[in-house]
Amino acid sequence: HLYGCSIRIADREFVEDEGDTMLDHALEHDVAFLVVGDPFGATTHSDLFLRARRRNISVEVVHNASIMNAVGVCGLQLYNYGEAD
């Protein structure tokens, strides 16, 4: 427990297979889903966002700093990032 709230480690399998459980809880309670890096860097996270919106669950996104965000600021394109010739 942290600040009187329970914490559950949600790995990819949980989010993909049991994400609706988290969304069901969010219908009645405040829920936070914390990720490392960009919150939309994984399709799993984007899918969870869209499922919440479809269910009229209020979603607030707090963007985080990540190397993926910094790539564009440097003038590089993500499409070519890491590509070898």
Side-chain angles (χ1 to χ4, degrees):
H1 288 280
L2 182 66
Y3 297 105
C5 299
S6 59
I7 297 174
R8 177 170 187 169
I9 305 290
D11 60 10
R12 181 182 182 141
E13 184 176 294
F14 172 82
V15 177
E16 289 178 350
D17 298 339
E18 299 180 51
D20 284 330
T21 302
M22 185 170 35
L23 296 177
D24 290 342
H25 192 73
L27 288 168
E28 302 286 329
H29 307 279
D30 289 332
V31 172
F33 180 65
L34 306 175
V35 302
V36 175
D38 188 322
F40 294 117
T43 56
T44 303
H45 303 157
S46 299
D47 176 63
L48 186 63
F49 173 82
L50 293 173
R51 286 190 284 157
R53 295 296 294 264
R54 274 189 235 117
R55 293 177 64 176
N56 294 318
I57 297 170
S58 177
V59 176
E60 180 180 342
V61 177
V62 178
H63 292 278
N64 192 3
S66 77
I67 189 64
M68 300 306 276
N69 299 51
V71 168
V73 173
C74 295
L76 301 173
Q77 294 181 351
L78 289 176
Y79 300 108
N80 299 326
Y81 188 67
E83 185 176 299
D85 289 330

